[in-house]
Amino acid sequence: MKAFFEGIQTLFVDFLFWPYDQLRSLELTSWWSANIVNWMFIIICICAMAYWTIQLNIFKNNNEDEDDTTAHSFLK
């Protein structure tokens, strides 16, 4: 049973977390490069927000947007 858990440890520590170890060692030379994963997520979120805003404007310009405060029956 001990060998089973050591095998799981080897899988994660030596193989699956290897890219994160490389990023951690890269941080000593370049902070920007070490945080490339974070920057990719930030760029994806900015693109999603821009797309969402554009879609909202399209619906508003076509008068398909219902901004009446009584749009729901429970708000009457």
Side-chain angles (χ1 to χ4, degrees):
M1 191 67 173
K2 181 179 177 182
F4 173 73
F5 289 110
E6 288 176 350
I8 292 174
Q9 175 188 352
T10 301
L11 173 68
F12 280 92
V13 173
D14 295 338
F15 298 107
L16 298 180
F17 290 153
W18 178 80
Y20 295 110
D21 290 336
Q22 296 302 315
L23 287 174
R24 185 179 56 197
S25 64
L26 179 64
E27 185 179 12
L28 298 175
T29 57
S30 174
W31 180 87
W32 293 95
S33 299
N35 287 298
I36 192 73
V37 175
N38 296 334
W39 289 112
M40 286 190 297
F41 283 134
I42 289 170
I43 290 169
I44 289 170
C45 288
I46 289 170
C47 292
M49 290 291 290
Y51 176 77
W52 183 38
T53 305
I54 290 168
Q55 291 298 315
L56 286 174
N57 283 332
I58 289 171
F59 279 99
K60 187 173 185 173
N61 292 337
N62 290 337
N63 292 326
E64 297 175 19
D65 183 26
E66 189 169 338
D67 56 2
D68 186 15
T69 57
T70 60
H72 299 284
S73 63
F74 59 85
L75 294 176
K76 290 183 181 181

